[in-house]
Amino acid sequence: MADLAAEFAIGVGATSKGVDRLEKQGWAVRHPNPDDRRSSLLALTSEGERLTAQAERTYNEALAELLTPTLDAPALTALARTLATLRTTLEHHRTGTPAG
């Protein structure tokens, strides 16, 4: 849970509650971590993988619909590179990481 919390810059408690909801819907399952009994590993179920793929397609289509009329291919590439740099910088400075 700590790794997910860090990835999404949210608290561990919120992450755990979110995972509880995913499990309840049948979209994810926790497995014991063989390397650390105090933690668990999270995996998507086949339904969770299907929904994730569908959400990714929907997101990408909506983003393309918004950006392609305005930006040409080189501008889109530059935007992607800039956003990746921004994310790396924010992560390096731990900006947005919850304190508790």
Side-chain angles (χ1 to χ4, degrees):
M1 294 307 118
D3 291 344
L4 281 175
E7 181 67 24
F8 291 106
I10 59 176
V12 174
T15 303
S16 186
K17 287 179 185 177
V19 169
D20 289 344
R21 290 185 194 108
L22 292 174
E23 281 188 302
K24 187 174 183 179
Q25 293 293 327
W27 299 336
V29 62
R30 286 182 175 120
H31 297 288
N33 184 345
D35 297 327
D36 182 357
R37 293 182 191 201
R38 298 168 296 160
S39 67
S40 57
L41 303 175
L42 183 67
L44 291 174
T45 62
S46 58
E47 179 65 7
E49 288 179 4
R50 186 189 70 74
L51 288 171
T52 300
Q54 182 180 356
E56 184 176 5
R57 277 191 306 277
T58 300
Y59 174 80
N60 288 336
E61 289 168 5
L63 198 58
E65 186 178 310
L66 289 169
L67 295 177
T68 52
T70 307
L71 302 172
D72 61 11
L76 286 170
T77 300
L79 175 61
R81 200 172 24 250
T82 300
L83 292 174
T85 300
L86 177 60
R87 179 178 178 149
T88 299
T89 300
L90 292 172
E91 288 174 347
H92 175 75
H93 292 285
R94 301 185 52 82
T95 301
T97 303

